[in-house]
Amino acid sequence: MNIRNPLVAILRGITPDEVLAHIDVLATAGFTTVEIPLNSPDWQTSIAIAVAHYGQTIHIGAGTVTAVSEVNLLSAFKCSFILTPNTDPSVIDAARDAGMTTCIGCHTASEAFVAIHHGASALKIFPAGELGPGYIRALKAVLPTHIPLYAVGGIRPDNLADYLNAGCIGAGLGSDLYRAGQTVNQTAKNAQAFIEAWNACKQQ
C-alpha cells in the first residue's frame, strides 16, 4: 500500500470483463492501490488480469481474505497485499511468511494487539463509519505508534478528513467509490471526488 496516496480502492463485485477499465480510470485519477475482494464473481481471474496488466505500476491486492489456502493462492498470483475482515492469526502468519503486506481487520483493542503480535503490517478498523472518528482516536491512544491504521466502511469524501485527523493514515473506499455494475464514468467521477478530498486533507 502506498503511503503517498493511502486511499485503497475496493472493487467489490467487479467482474473480469470490466476490471481493467475501472482500474484504468482509478489510476488516471491518482489511485495507486486497488483491492479486489474475494467475494467478487470469478475473483481469481480478475486478480490475475489486474496483476498482469497493472502489477508493475499499481499495488493490486485482495480483500475479504479469510483462509490460509486463499493466502497461498494469492501469493502465487503475486498479489502485493491482503486485507482481512477479521483477526485470524493463521492467515496473518501465512501472509507474513509469503512476504505479503497485511492489513488486518479488527474492531477491539484485543483484536488489534493479536494482529500486531502476529506481525500485521497495518490494521483495518472496521466498520469505521459505524464506530466514528472518536473511537479511532481512543483506540489509537493505546496502540503502538508505528502501526498504521486504515479506516474502512462508511468512508465518504465528506468525512475522509475526520478519520485522517483522528489518526488513520489512510482509508479503504467501498460503495461510495464503486458499486457492482456501475459505469466506468461513475467510477471516474467518484474517484475524482475522493482524490480532491485527499488533496484538501494534505493542505490542512
Side-chain angles (χ1 to χ4, degrees):
M1 288 177 281
N2 193 318
I3 299 303
R4 288 174 297 176
N5 179 5
L7 301 181
V8 182
I10 302 172
L11 300 181
R12 188 178 307 279
I14 198 80
T15 58
D17 62 320
E18 60 185 354
V19 65
L20 294 182
H22 287 270
I23 294 178
D24 185 56
V25 297
L26 289 168
T28 298
F31 279 82
T32 57
T33 307
V34 172
E35 168 198 336
I36 298 173
L38 301 196
N39 56 358
S40 302
D42 197 6
W43 58 265
Q44 299 97 326
T45 302
S46 290
I47 289 177
I49 291 172
V51 170
H53 283 77
Y54 291 101
Q56 298 301 313
T57 56
I58 299 287
H59 298 286
I60 303 295
T64 320
V65 180
T66 60
V68 171
S69 59
E70 293 168 347
V71 173
N72 295 335
L73 183 58
L74 292 165
S75 177
F77 285 164
K78 301 189 183 303
C79 270
S80 62
F81 67 91
I82 66 164
L83 286 93
T84 72
N86 62 330
T87 308
D88 185 332
S90 66
V91 170
I92 303 170
D93 292 344
R96 186 197 62 233
D97 292 345
M100 302 173 75
T101 298
T102 58
C103 190
I104 302 303
C106 60
H107 186 137
T108 67
S110 294
E111 292 171 339
F113 277 102
V114 168
I116 292 167
H117 176 73
H118 283 269
S121 310
L123 301 179
K124 164 187 164 181
I125 309 305
F126 178 84
E130 298 297 325
L131 297 170
Y135 183 88
I136 301 288
R137 193 173 290 107
L139 182 62
K140 186 170 177 62
V142 300
L143 298 178
T145 57
H146 70 281
I147 297 295
L149 302 185
Y150 284 78
V152 181
I155 307 304
R156 309 180 305 271
D158 66 327
N159 69 10
L160 174 64
D162 296 335
Y163 290 90
L164 298 179
N165 291 335
C168 288
I169 196 171
L173 313 176
S175 59
D176 283 281
L177 175 65
Y178 173 81
R179 294 176 185 268
Q182 78 179 27
T183 66
V184 172
N185 286 342
Q186 187 63 53
T187 298
K189 179 180 177 180
N190 295 348
Q192 187 59 40
F194 273 109
I195 291 297
E196 290 175 1
W198 164 242
N199 287 334
C201 291
K202 292 191 296 180
Q203 295 170 6
Q204 293 180 355

